[in-house]
Amino acid sequence: MTVPLRPRPTVAGSRVLAYGAARGELDVPNDDLVAPIDSSDEWIRQRTGIITRNRAGRDTGVQDLALQAAREAIETSGIDLESLDAIIVSTISFPYQTPSLASWIAGQLGTPDVIAYDISAACAGFCYGIGQADALIRGGDARHVLVVGAEKLSDFVSPTDRSISFLLGDGAGAAVVGPSEQPLIGPTVWGSDGDHWSTIRMTGTITGFRDGVSEWPTLEQDGRTVFRWAVWHTAKKIREMLDRSGLTVEDVDVFVPHQANMRIIDELAKQLKLPEDVVIGRDIAETGNTSAASIPLATHRLIQEGAASSGDVLVQIGFGAGLVYAGQVIVLP
Ligand SMILES: CC(C)(COP(=O)(O)OP(=O)(O)OC[C@H]1O[C@@H](n2cnc3c(N)ncnc32)[C@H](O)[C@@H]1OP(=O)(O)O)[C@@H](O)C(=O)NCCC(=O)NCCS
């Protein structure tokens, strides 16, 4: 006979309690990057919407940005550190293979015995993290979860790469997620398309670099393929996300897709037929594409500027290398 295990208490829902943000301290305008890629300020503005991007200096590590964003999110949330049970960090640019950046943050915050791990889901990473936080809380494994998306992508760009280098910036965004009697985070719609594994890729491996087979690995992409995939695939997934949350586009107050390209953002809004009054995250213009940090950074900016407020229905979706995607509806704190 099978021995039944004790049932675990579960929680009805979860919610975001607060956000935190950190941007690279350097302002790098298009003109600083165009010469080695035979481009122009005008081309970059027209094709991507980027005017300038934040990058971190040599002495600022991805961990510094992550910790700064994490501290702000925790402080704003007002939770006791003792009730923080998990730290999830999404990053593709922490320079250690192991241990994780999440464990390092746990040490810096002084939170003993928390669940701590990193995830590699590129530009979808923050939304993957929110999906996991929601599941940990609803499943009774954690009361409060810190989710951080942090990148210092400037360590992995080549100044001569024409395909992606001019898009990328450095920053970190964080959110504290906690339990809620009503679900204020909707079902996560997430997945991957492994047939496109090499669409956004590294130019080589670190072992290849060690062995002198390849240069220091940097990011590169087939931009046009990503563009098409992002628009068609993501619009479909957003409709699914709204449907599973019991909402329609008329219920949306704020739309924050991954900050990859202003034309993708505009095209998504058009495809979805978003009403005119929906506030749209356009942080890419000044911050650039910060991968896992882009969605919380854009959201943080909208809240700071008063364009988004408590109780607003936010739709967020990330997509990137893998190709992977994830998104959910969030009722803003
Ligand atoms: C990368 C990206 C900005 C390129 O823009 P695009 O409009 O697709 O550009 P194309 O590749 O079609 O090239 C159009 C022209 O611009 C030129 N071009 C390409 N890159 C250029 C650059 N960096 N500067 C100047 N000209 C460039 C091409 O040579 C081509 O010239 P031609 O018409 O004379 O042949 C765009 O594809 C993009 O943003 N894709 C999605 C990126 C993304 O979301 N990545 C995910 C990261 S998470």
CSV table of all heavy atoms in Angstrom, one decimal, residues 273-329:
chain,number,residue,atom,x,y,z
A,273,LYS,N,-3.7,45.6,-30.9
A,273,LYS,CA,-4.7,46.6,-31.0
A,273,LYS,C,-4.9,47.2,-29.6
A,273,LYS,O,-6.0,47.3,-29.1
A,273,LYS,CB,-6.0,46.1,-31.5
A,273,LYS,CG,-5.9,45.6,-33.0
A,273,LYS,CD,-7.3,45.3,-33.5
A,273,LYS,CE,-7.3,45.0,-35.0
A,273,LYS,NZ,-6.7,43.8,-35.4
A,274,LEU,N,-3.8,47.6,-28.9
A,274,LEU,CA,-3.9,48.1,-27.6
A,274,LEU,C,-4.6,49.5,-27.6
A,274,LEU,O,-4.3,50.3,-28.5
A,274,LEU,CB,-2.5,48.3,-27.0
A,274,LEU,CG,-1.7,47.1,-26.5
A,274,LEU,CD1,-0.4,47.5,-25.9
A,274,LEU,CD2,-2.5,46.3,-25.5
A,275,PRO,N,-5.5,49.8,-26.7
A,275,PRO,CA,-6.1,51.1,-26.7
A,275,PRO,C,-5.1,52.2,-26.6
A,275,PRO,O,-4.0,52.0,-26.0
A,275,PRO,CB,-7.0,51.0,-25.5
A,275,PRO,CG,-7.3,49.6,-25.2
A,275,PRO,CD,-6.1,48.8,-25.7
A,276,GLU,N,-5.4,53.4,-27.1
A,276,GLU,CA,-4.5,54.5,-27.1
A,276,GLU,C,-3.9,54.9,-25.8
A,276,GLU,O,-2.8,55.4,-25.6
A,276,GLU,CB,-5.2,55.7,-27.7
A,276,GLU,CG,-5.5,55.7,-29.2
A,276,GLU,CD,-4.2,56.0,-30.0
A,276,GLU,OE1,-3.7,57.1,-29.7
A,276,GLU,OE2,-3.8,55.2,-30.9
A,277,ASP,N,-4.8,54.7,-24.7
A,277,ASP,CA,-4.4,55.2,-23.4
A,277,ASP,C,-3.5,54.2,-22.6
A,277,ASP,O,-3.2,54.5,-21.5
A,277,ASP,CB,-5.6,55.6,-22.6
A,277,ASP,CG,-6.6,54.5,-22.4
A,277,ASP,OD1,-6.4,53.4,-23.0
A,277,ASP,OD2,-7.5,54.6,-21.6
A,278,VAL,N,-3.2,53.1,-23.2
A,278,VAL,CA,-2.3,52.2,-22.5
A,278,VAL,C,-0.9,52.8,-22.4
A,278,VAL,O,-0.3,53.3,-23.4
A,278,VAL,CB,-2.2,50.8,-23.2
A,278,VAL,CG1,-1.2,49.9,-22.6
A,278,VAL,CG2,-3.6,50.1,-23.2
A,279,VAL,N,-0.3,52.8,-21.2
A,279,VAL,CA,1.0,53.3,-21.0
A,279,VAL,C,2.0,52.2,-21.5
A,279,VAL,O,1.9,51.1,-21.1
A,279,VAL,CB,1.3,53.6,-19.5
A,279,VAL,CG1,2.7,54.0,-19.3
A,279,VAL,CG2,0.3,54.8,-19.1
A,280,ILE,N,3.0,52.6,-22.3
A,280,ILE,CA,3.9,51.6,-22.9
A,280,ILE,C,5.3,51.9,-22.4
A,280,ILE,O,5.8,53.0,-22.5
A,280,ILE,CB,3.9,51.6,-24.4
A,280,ILE,CG1,2.4,51.2,-24.9
A,280,ILE,CG2,4.9,50.6,-25.0
A,280,ILE,CD1,2.2,51.2,-26.4
A,281,GLY,N,6.0,50.9,-21.9
A,281,GLY,CA,7.4,51.0,-21.4
A,281,GLY,C,8.3,51.3,-22.6
A,281,GLY,O,8.3,50.4,-23.6
A,282,ARG,N,9.1,52.4,-22.6
A,282,ARG,CA,10.0,52.7,-23.7
A,282,ARG,C,11.3,53.1,-23.2
A,282,ARG,O,12.0,54.0,-23.7
A,282,ARG,CB,9.4,53.9,-24.5
A,282,ARG,CG,8.1,53.5,-25.2
A,282,ARG,CD,7.6,54.6,-26.1
A,282,ARG,NE,6.3,54.3,-26.7
A,282,ARG,CZ,6.1,53.5,-27.7
A,282,ARG,NH1,7.2,52.9,-28.3
A,282,ARG,NH2,4.9,53.2,-28.2
A,283,ASP,N,11.7,52.4,-22.1
A,283,ASP,CA,13.0,52.7,-21.5
A,283,ASP,C,14.2,52.4,-22.4
A,283,ASP,O,15.3,53.0,-22.1
A,283,ASP,CB,13.1,51.8,-20.2
A,283,ASP,CG,14.2,52.1,-19.3
A,283,ASP,OD1,14.5,53.3,-19.1
A,283,ASP,OD2,14.9,51.2,-18.8
A,284,ILE,N,14.0,51.6,-23.4
A,284,ILE,CA,15.1,51.3,-24.3
A,284,ILE,C,15.8,52.6,-24.9
A,284,ILE,O,17.0,52.6,-25.1
A,284,ILE,CB,14.7,50.4,-25.5
A,284,ILE,CG1,15.9,50.0,-26.3
A,284,ILE,CG2,13.6,51.0,-26.4
A,284,ILE,CD1,15.6,48.9,-27.3
A,285,ALA,N,15.0,53.7,-25.1
A,285,ALA,CA,15.5,54.9,-25.7
A,285,ALA,C,16.8,55.4,-25.0
A,285,ALA,O,17.7,55.9,-25.6
A,285,ALA,CB,14.5,55.9,-25.8
A,286,GLU,N,16.7,55.3,-23.6
A,286,GLU,CA,17.8,55.9,-22.9
A,286,GLU,C,18.7,54.8,-22.2
A,286,GLU,O,19.8,55.1,-21.7
A,286,GLU,CB,17.3,56.8,-21.8
A,286,GLU,CG,17.1,58.2,-22.3
A,286,GLU,CD,15.7,58.7,-22.1
A,286,GLU,OE1,15.1,58.3,-21.1
A,286,GLU,OE2,15.1,59.4,-23.0
A,287,THR,N,18.2,53.6,-22.0
A,287,THR,CA,18.9,52.6,-21.3
A,287,THR,C,19.6,51.5,-22.2
A,287,THR,O,20.5,50.9,-21.8
A,287,THR,CB,18.0,51.9,-20.3
A,287,THR,OG1,17.4,52.9,-19.4
A,287,THR,CG2,18.7,50.9,-19.3
A,288,GLY,N,19.0,51.3,-23.4
A,288,GLY,CA,19.4,50.3,-24.2
A,288,GLY,C,18.8,49.0,-23.8
A,288,GLY,O,17.9,48.9,-23.0
A,289,ASN,N,19.2,47.9,-24.5
A,289,ASN,CA,18.7,46.5,-24.1
A,289,ASN,C,19.5,45.9,-23.1
A,289,ASN,O,20.7,45.6,-23.3
A,289,ASN,CB,18.7,45.7,-25.4
A,289,ASN,CG,18.3,44.3,-25.2
A,289,ASN,OD1,18.1,43.8,-24.1
A,289,ASN,ND2,18.2,43.5,-26.3
A,290,THR,N,19.0,45.7,-21.9
A,290,THR,CA,19.7,45.2,-20.7
A,290,THR,C,19.3,43.8,-20.4
A,290,THR,O,19.4,43.3,-19.3
A,290,THR,CB,19.5,46.1,-19.5
A,290,THR,OG1,18.1,46.2,-19.2
A,290,THR,CG2,20.2,47.4,-19.7
A,291,SER,N,18.8,43.1,-21.4
A,291,SER,CA,18.4,41.6,-21.3
A,291,SER,C,17.5,41.4,-20.1
A,291,SER,O,16.4,42.0,-20.0
A,291,SER,CB,19.6,40.8,-21.3
A,291,SER,OG,19.3,39.4,-21.4
A,292,ALA,N,17.9,40.6,-19.1
A,292,ALA,CA,17.0,40.2,-18.0
A,292,ALA,C,16.6,41.4,-17.2
A,292,ALA,O,15.6,41.3,-16.4
A,292,ALA,CB,17.7,39.2,-17.2
A,293,ALA,N,17.3,42.5,-17.3
A,293,ALA,CA,17.0,43.6,-16.4
A,293,ALA,C,16.0,44.6,-17.1
A,293,ALA,O,15.4,45.5,-16.5
A,293,ALA,CB,18.3,44.4,-16.1
A,294,SER,N,15.8,44.4,-18.4
A,294,SER,CA,15.0,45.4,-19.1
A,294,SER,C,13.6,45.6,-18.7
A,294,SER,O,13.1,46.8,-18.6
A,294,SER,CB,15.1,45.1,-20.6
A,294,SER,OG,14.0,44.4,-21.1
A,295,ILE,N,12.9,44.6,-18.4
A,295,ILE,CA,11.5,44.7,-18.0
A,295,ILE,C,11.3,45.4,-16.6
A,295,ILE,O,10.6,46.4,-16.5
A,295,ILE,CB,10.7,43.4,-18.1
A,295,ILE,CG1,10.6,43.0,-19.6
A,295,ILE,CG2,9.4,43.4,-17.4
A,295,ILE,CD1,10.0,41.6,-19.9
A,296,PRO,N,12.0,44.9,-15.6
A,296,PRO,CA,11.9,45.6,-14.3
A,296,PRO,C,12.4,47.0,-14.3
A,296,PRO,O,11.9,47.9,-13.6
A,296,PRO,CB,12.7,44.7,-13.3
A,296,PRO,CG,13.6,43.9,-14.1
A,296,PRO,CD,12.9,43.7,-15.4
A,297,LEU,N,13.5,47.3,-15.1
A,297,LEU,CA,14.0,48.7,-15.2
A,297,LEU,C,12.9,49.6,-15.9
A,297,LEU,O,12.7,50.7,-15.4
A,297,LEU,CB,15.3,48.7,-16.1
A,297,LEU,CG,16.5,48.3,-15.4
A,297,LEU,CD1,17.7,48.4,-16.4
A,297,LEU,CD2,16.8,49.2,-14.2
A,298,ALA,N,12.3,49.1,-16.9
A,298,ALA,CA,11.3,49.9,-17.6
A,298,ALA,C,10.1,50.1,-16.7
A,298,ALA,O,9.5,51.2,-16.6
A,298,ALA,CB,10.8,49.2,-18.9
A,299,THR,N,9.7,49.1,-16.0
A,299,THR,CA,8.5,49.2,-15.0
A,299,THR,C,8.9,50.2,-13.9
A,299,THR,O,8.0,51.1,-13.6
A,299,THR,CB,8.2,47.8,-14.5
A,299,THR,OG1,8.0,46.9,-15.5
A,299,THR,CG2,6.9,47.9,-13.6
A,300,HIS,N,10.1,50.1,-13.4
A,300,HIS,CA,10.5,50.9,-12.3
A,300,HIS,C,10.5,52.4,-12.7
A,300,HIS,O,10.0,53.3,-12.0
A,300,HIS,CB,11.9,50.5,-11.9
A,300,HIS,CG,12.5,51.3,-10.7
A,300,HIS,ND1,13.1,52.5,-10.8
A,300,HIS,CD2,12.5,51.0,-9.4
A,300,HIS,CE1,13.5,52.9,-9.7
A,300,HIS,NE2,13.2,52.0,-8.8
A,301,ARG,N,10.9,52.6,-14.0
A,301,ARG,CA,10.9,54.0,-14.5
A,301,ARG,C,9.5,54.6,-14.6
A,301,ARG,O,9.2,55.7,-14.2
A,301,ARG,CB,11.6,54.1,-15.8
A,301,ARG,CG,11.8,55.5,-16.4
A,301,ARG,CD,12.3,55.5,-17.8
A,301,ARG,NE,13.7,55.3,-17.9
A,301,ARG,CZ,14.7,56.2,-17.9
A,301,ARG,NH1,14.4,57.5,-17.8
A,301,ARG,NH2,15.9,55.9,-18.0
A,302,LEU,N,8.6,53.8,-15.1
A,302,LEU,CA,7.2,54.2,-15.2
A,302,LEU,C,6.6,54.5,-13.9
A,302,LEU,O,5.8,55.5,-13.7
A,302,LEU,CB,6.3,53.1,-16.0
A,302,LEU,CG,6.6,52.9,-17.4
A,302,LEU,CD1,5.8,51.8,-18.0
A,302,LEU,CD2,6.4,54.2,-18.3
A,303,ILE,N,6.9,53.7,-12.9
A,303,ILE,CA,6.3,54.0,-11.5
A,303,ILE,C,6.9,55.2,-11.0
A,303,ILE,O,6.2,56.1,-10.4
A,303,ILE,CB,6.6,52.7,-10.6
A,303,ILE,CG1,5.8,51.5,-11.1
A,303,ILE,CG2,6.3,53.1,-9.1
A,303,ILE,CD1,6.2,50.2,-10.4
A,304,GLN,N,8.3,55.4,-11.1
A,304,GLN,CA,9.0,56.6,-10.6
A,304,GLN,C,8.4,57.9,-11.2
A,304,GLN,O,8.3,58.9,-10.6
A,304,GLN,CB,10.5,56.5,-10.9
A,304,GLN,CG,11.2,55.4,-10.1
A,304,GLN,CD,12.0,56.0,-9.0
A,304,GLN,OE1,12.8,56.8,-9.3
A,304,GLN,NE2,11.7,55.6,-7.8
A,305,GLU,N,8.1,57.8,-12.5
A,305,GLU,CA,7.7,59.0,-13.2
A,305,GLU,C,6.2,59.2,-13.0
A,305,GLU,O,5.6,60.2,-13.6
A,305,GLU,CB,7.9,58.8,-14.8
A,305,GLU,CG,9.4,58.9,-15.0
A,305,GLU,CD,9.8,58.6,-16.5
A,305,GLU,OE1,8.9,58.1,-17.3
A,305,GLU,OE2,10.9,58.9,-16.9
A,306,GLY,N,5.5,58.3,-12.4
A,306,GLY,CA,4.1,58.5,-12.1
A,306,GLY,C,3.2,58.1,-13.3
A,306,GLY,O,2.0,58.3,-13.3
A,307,ALA,N,3.8,57.5,-14.3
A,307,ALA,CA,3.0,57.0,-15.5
A,307,ALA,C,2.2,55.8,-15.2
A,307,ALA,O,1.2,55.5,-15.8
A,307,ALA,CB,3.9,56.9,-16.7
A,308,ALA,N,2.7,55.0,-14.2
A,308,ALA,CA,2.0,53.7,-13.8
A,308,ALA,C,1.8,53.8,-12.3
A,308,ALA,O,2.7,54.3,-11.6
A,308,ALA,CB,2.9,52.5,-14.2
A,309,SER,N,0.7,53.3,-11.9
A,309,SER,CA,0.4,53.4,-10.4
A,309,SER,C,-0.2,52.2,-9.9
A,309,SER,O,-0.6,51.3,-10.6
A,309,SER,CB,-0.4,54.7,-10.1
A,309,SER,OG,-1.3,54.9,-11.2
A,310,SER,N,-0.3,52.2,-8.6
A,310,SER,CA,-0.8,51.0,-7.8
A,310,SER,C,-2.1,50.6,-8.3
A,310,SER,O,-3.0,51.4,-8.5
A,310,SER,CB,-0.9,51.5,-6.3
A,310,SER,OG,-1.4,50.4,-5.6
A,311,GLY,N,-2.3,49.3,-8.5
A,311,GLY,CA,-3.5,48.7,-9.0
A,311,GLY,C,-3.6,48.6,-10.5
A,311,GLY,O,-4.6,48.0,-11.0
A,312,ASP,N,-2.7,49.2,-11.2
A,312,ASP,CA,-2.7,49.1,-12.7
A,312,ASP,C,-2.4,47.7,-13.1
A,312,ASP,O,-1.6,47.0,-12.5
A,312,ASP,CB,-1.6,50.0,-13.3
A,312,ASP,CG,-2.0,51.5,-13.4
A,312,ASP,OD1,-3.2,51.8,-13.0
A,312,ASP,OD2,-1.2,52.3,-13.7
A,313,VAL,N,-3.1,47.3,-14.2
A,313,VAL,CA,-2.9,46.0,-14.8
A,313,VAL,C,-1.7,46.1,-15.8
A,313,VAL,O,-1.8,46.8,-16.8
A,313,VAL,CB,-4.1,45.5,-15.5
A,313,VAL,CG1,-3.9,44.2,-16.3
A,313,VAL,CG2,-5.2,45.2,-14.4
A,314,LEU,N,-0.6,45.4,-15.5
A,314,LEU,CA,0.6,45.4,-16.3
A,314,LEU,C,0.7,44.1,-17.1
A,314,LEU,O,0.6,43.1,-16.5
A,314,LEU,CB,1.8,45.6,-15.4
A,314,LEU,CG,3.2,45.3,-16.0
A,314,LEU,CD1,3.8,46.5,-16.8
A,314,LEU,CD2,4.2,44.8,-15.0
A,315,VAL,N,1.0,44.2,-18.4
A,315,VAL,CA,1.3,43.0,-19.2
A,315,VAL,C,2.8,43.1,-19.5
A,315,VAL,O,3.3,44.1,-20.0
A,315,VAL,CB,0.5,43.0,-20.5
A,315,VAL,CG1,1.0,41.9,-21.4
A,315,VAL,CG2,-1.0,42.7,-20.2
A,316,GLN,N,3.5,42.0,-19.1
A,316,GLN,CA,5.0,42.0,-19.4
A,316,GLN,C,5.3,40.7,-20.1
A,316,GLN,O,4.7,39.7,-19.9
A,316,GLN,CB,5.8,42.1,-18.1
A,316,GLN,CG,5.6,41.0,-17.1
A,316,GLN,CD,6.5,41.2,-15.9
A,316,GLN,OE1,6.9,42.3,-15.5
A,316,GLN,NE2,6.7,40.1,-15.2
A,317,ILE,N,6.2,40.8,-21.1
A,317,ILE,CA,6.7,39.6,-21.8
A,317,ILE,C,8.2,39.8,-22.2
A,317,ILE,O,8.5,40.8,-22.7
A,317,ILE,CB,5.8,39.2,-22.9
A,317,ILE,CG1,6.2,37.8,-23.5
A,317,ILE,CG2,5.9,40.3,-24.1
A,317,ILE,CD1,5.1,37.1,-24.2
A,318,GLY,N,9.0,38.8,-21.9
A,318,GLY,CA,10.4,38.8,-22.3
A,318,GLY,C,10.6,37.7,-23.4
A,318,GLY,O,9.9,36.7,-23.4
A,319,PHE,N,11.6,38.0,-24.3
A,319,PHE,CA,11.9,37.0,-25.3
A,319,PHE,C,13.4,37.2,-25.6
A,319,PHE,O,13.9,38.3,-25.6
A,319,PHE,CB,11.1,37.2,-26.5
A,319,PHE,CG,11.0,38.6,-27.0
A,319,PHE,CD1,12.0,39.1,-27.8
A,319,PHE,CD2,10.0,39.5,-26.6
A,319,PHE,CE1,12.0,40.4,-28.3
A,319,PHE,CE2,10.0,40.8,-27.0
A,319,PHE,CZ,11.0,41.3,-27.8
A,320,GLY,N,14.1,36.1,-25.9
A,320,GLY,CA,15.5,36.3,-26.2
A,320,GLY,C,16.2,34.9,-26.5
A,320,GLY,O,15.5,33.9,-26.9
A,321,ALA,N,17.5,35.0,-26.3
A,321,ALA,CA,18.4,33.8,-26.7
A,321,ALA,C,17.8,32.5,-26.2
A,321,ALA,O,17.5,32.3,-25.1
A,321,ALA,CB,19.8,34.1,-26.2
A,322,GLY,N,17.7,31.5,-27.2
A,322,GLY,CA,17.2,30.2,-26.8
A,322,GLY,C,16.6,29.5,-28.0
A,322,GLY,O,17.0,28.4,-28.3
A,323,LEU,N,15.7,30.1,-28.7
A,323,LEU,CA,14.9,31.3,-28.3
A,323,LEU,C,13.9,30.9,-27.2
A,323,LEU,O,13.3,29.9,-27.3
A,323,LEU,CB,14.1,31.9,-29.5
A,323,LEU,CG,15.0,32.5,-30.6
A,323,LEU,CD1,14.2,33.0,-31.8
A,323,LEU,CD2,15.9,33.7,-30.1
A,324,VAL,N,13.8,31.8,-26.2
A,324,VAL,CA,12.9,31.5,-25.1
A,324,VAL,C,12.0,32.7,-24.9
A,324,VAL,O,12.3,33.8,-25.3
A,324,VAL,CB,13.6,31.2,-23.8
A,324,VAL,CG1,14.4,29.9,-23.9
A,324,VAL,CG2,14.5,32.4,-23.4
A,325,TYR,N,10.9,32.5,-24.2
A,325,TYR,CA,9.9,33.6,-23.9
A,325,TYR,C,9.2,33.3,-22.6
A,325,TYR,O,9.1,32.1,-22.2
A,325,TYR,CB,8.9,33.8,-25.1
A,325,TYR,CG,8.0,32.6,-25.2
A,325,TYR,CD1,6.8,32.6,-24.5
A,325,TYR,CD2,8.3,31.5,-26.0
A,325,TYR,CE1,5.9,31.5,-24.6
A,325,TYR,CE2,7.5,30.4,-26.0
A,325,TYR,CZ,6.3,30.4,-25.3
A,325,TYR,OH,5.4,29.3,-25.4
A,326,ALA,N,8.7,34.3,-22.0
A,326,ALA,CA,7.9,34.2,-20.8
A,326,ALA,C,7.2,35.5,-20.5
A,326,ALA,O,7.8,36.6,-20.8
A,326,ALA,CB,8.8,33.7,-19.6
A,327,GLY,N,6.0,35.4,-19.9
A,327,GLY,CA,5.3,36.6,-19.6
A,327,GLY,C,4.2,36.4,-18.6
A,327,GLY,O,3.7,35.2,-18.5
A,328,GLN,N,3.7,37.4,-18.0
A,328,GLN,CA,2.5,37.3,-17.2
A,328,GLN,C,1.8,38.7,-17.0
A,328,GLN,O,2.5,39.7,-17.3
A,328,GLN,CB,2.8,36.6,-15.8
A,328,GLN,CG,3.9,37.2,-15.0
A,328,GLN,CD,5.3,36.7,-15.4
A,328,GLN,OE1,6.1,37.5,-15.9
A,328,GLN,NE2,5.7,35.5,-15.1
A,329,VAL,N,0.6,38.6,-16.5
A,329,VAL,CA,-0.1,39.8,-16.1
A,329,VAL,C,0.2,40.1,-14.6
A,329,VAL,O,0.2,39.1,-13.8
A,329,VAL,CB,-1.6,39.7,-16.3
A,329,VAL,CG1,-2.3,40.9,-15.7
A,329,VAL,CG2,-2.0,39.5,-17.7
